Amino acid sequence: MGYRVVVAGATGNVGREMLNILAERQFPVDEIVALASRRSLGTEVSFGDKTLKTKDLDGFDFTGWDIALFAIGSDATKKYAPIAAKSGCVVIDNSSLYRYDADVPLVVPEVNPEAVDGYNKKNIIANPNCSTAQMVVALKPLHDRARIKRVVVSTYQSVSGSGKEAIDELWNQTKGMYVPGQEVEPKVYPKQIAFNVIPHIDVFLDDGSTKEEWKMVAETKKIIDKSIKLTATCVRVPVFVGHSEAINIEFEEFLDEDEARDILREAPGIMVVDKREDGGYITPIECVGDFATFISRIRQDSTIENGLNIWCVSDNLRKGAALNAVQIAETLGNRCLKKG
């Protein structure tokens, strides 16, 4: 006996990827429905070798459905998630709305699978920010060995993290650079993204950081350990898919780079590609479509007593969003719902 599954926001980048991954990982689905806004009603989306026609999210009856994967943004989630949850359907939400709610688990299954046990306080589980998800997969096994004191991370985030319009903006701006008269002014981003980098993701806060940077701090503390100090600089780069991060870690005790490499090789969800030669590392273009979080450039930081540097790359539409949501569903099923 499998699950009755809802995918809300099924026509967006993340929603389509959720459907792909549910099929790829052979999630035990008895029945599945794809929901979208009224303007996308009837749009066809793929689920394995099947084609689904989207139904209207507004007014959908969640009664009798087991799990709903939400990829509809915070505003719509605020309206529909409580309706689904009250109907007995467990919501796995990809927006930021519930991530910092003490009664809502924030889960990365390789890191804190036990957190899903608290799902029934609100019948909602939160999916973390894309940049946080891949980072904590790398940090947790190292933290278990040597306890992390402080993290300094700089991100190189692809435009797909901003949605389809951002992908189109990069594509059209790039073409426009070579075709006189077809130049494209920035709309999604405050500055040109083609052939440029923008150190600004989400809104600015009073202390000068951006909300994306704040999210990485708050979510790492909630998922791994509230005592970890973290500072982030989040940068948008002209890459279509795949987030990269340069992570500097300070530990409470010494951790040798060779031992760290061995720990990461054995850790769930991680693929280590770390050769000290030309091309002996992973770049975003190589991680697209893969489930793994890739780690390269593992090396000692000699400027501090117990320091390590790593390079972390992952497909943000997968591990940063859709894959993590499906893994949460799998964990919820195995630990709590016990179907399939």
Side-chain angles (χ1 to χ4, degrees):
M1 186 175 176
Y3 296 92
R4 299 184 77 212
V5 178
V6 176
V7 176
T11 59
N13 290 337
V14 174
R16 289 176 186 271
E17 201 67 19
M18 285 173 170
L19 289 165
N20 290 338
I21 293 169
L22 284 165
E24 282 178 40
R25 293 175 71 90
Q26 298 182 325
F27 187 82
V29 171
D30 263 5
E31 188 177 353
I32 190 163
V33 64
L35 303 182
S37 62
R38 198 156 286 169
R39 70 175 185 271
S40 300
L41 201 61
T43 301
E44 292 188 344
V45 292
S46 297
F47 173 64
D49 56 2
K50 298 178 182 176
T51 300
L52 308 176
K53 279 194 174 182
T54 58
K55 297 183 178 180
D56 190 4
L57 171 60
D58 193 40
F60 181 79
D61 186 0
F62 288 90
T63 305
W65 294 85
D66 298 301
I67 298 170
L69 305 180
F70 271 41
I72 55 176
S74 293
D75 290 342
T77 297
K78 190 173 185 178
K79 178 179 178 181
Y80 296 108
I83 295 170
K86 192 174 180 180
S87 301
C89 181
V90 183
V91 174
I92 299 171
D93 176 36
N94 195 59
S95 81
S96 62
L97 183 65
Y98 291 104
R99 290 175 188 159
Y100 317 107
D101 186 323
D103 291 331
V104 174
L106 180 65
V107 179
V108 177
E110 298 94 334
V111 177
N112 61 338
E114 70 288 345
V116 301
D117 298 347
Y119 80 94
N120 52 8
K121 289 182 181 177
K122 287 195 173 179
N123 244 20
I124 297 171
I125 301 172
N127 208 21
N129 186 42
C130 51
S131 52
T132 305
Q134 68 187 71
M135 180 179 68
V136 296
V137 169
L139 293 183
K140 181 58 163 59
L142 301 177
H143 181 66
D144 287 345
R145 162 61 181 83
R147 289 196 65 78
I148 294 170
K149 287 173 60 178
R150 180 172 185 259
V151 176
V152 181
V153 56
S154 297
T155 72
Y156 307 76
Q157 295 179 225
S158 66
V159 296
S160 57
S162 303
K164 183 180 182 301
E165 289 181 353
I167 293 173
D168 292 342
E169 183 157 296
L170 172 58
W171 174 254
N172 291 325
Q173 277 184 358
T174 303
K175 288 193 296 181
M177 296 289 286
Y178 294 100
V179 183
Q182 292 191 20
E183 295 83 1
V184 175
E185 291 297 314
K187 290 182 181 177
V188 176
Y189 297 117
K191 299 196 177 194
Q192 176 183 309
I193 185 61
F195 303 98
N196 199 16
V197 299
I198 304 173
H200 171 196
I201 300 178
D202 213 322
V203 297
F204 276 96
L205 306 178
D206 289 342
D207 67 354
S209 63
T210 63
K211 194 171 182 184
E212 183 84 357
E213 292 156 357
W214 174 84
K215 287 173 187 175
M216 294 192 75
V217 176
E219 292 174 21
T220 300
K221 287 176 177 291
K222 184 172 180 178
I223 294 168
I224 300 182
D225 190 331
K226 64 182 180 181
S227 69
I228 293 175
K229 295 178 180 179
L230 188 143
T231 182
T233 301
C234 294
V235 182
R236 193 69 71 187
V237 297
V239 170
F240 287 111
V241 179
H243 287 358
S244 305
E245 297 170 348
I247 308 173
N248 176 264
I249 312 163
E250 183 180 359
F251 298 93
E252 289 186 1
E253 58 184 273
F254 181 76
L255 178 60
D256 178 75
E257 63 187 37
D258 292 326
E259 185 182 355
R261 194 175 288 108
D262 290 341
I263 289 169
L264 291 168
R265 281 200 178 107
E266 296 299 317
I270 289 176
M271 181 75 70
V272 174
V273 179
D274 187 24
K275 298 179 180 178
R276 294 177 176 179
E277 60 186 43
D278 292 352
Y281 42 81
I282 291 294
T283 59
I285 204 165
E286 296 156 289
C287 79
V288 175
D290 207 296
F291 289 142
T293 294
F294 291 89
I295 306 296
S296 306
R297 302 296 315 281
I298 303 165
R299 62 203 188 280
Q300 228 76 50
D301 176 5
S302 60
T303 67
I304 52 177
E305 193 170 345
N306 301 315
L308 207 65
N309 287 301
I310 63 173
W311 174 250
C312 177
V313 179
S314 192
D315 182 330
N316 56 294
L317 296 179
R318 292 206 152 205
K319 187 56 194 168
L323 170 62
N324 201 71
V326 173
Q327 287 176 307
I328 291 172
E330 292 169 345
T331 306
L332 176 70
N334 292 335
R335 292 181 68 96
C336 305
L337 302 184
K338 307 288 188 181
K339 292 172 72 174

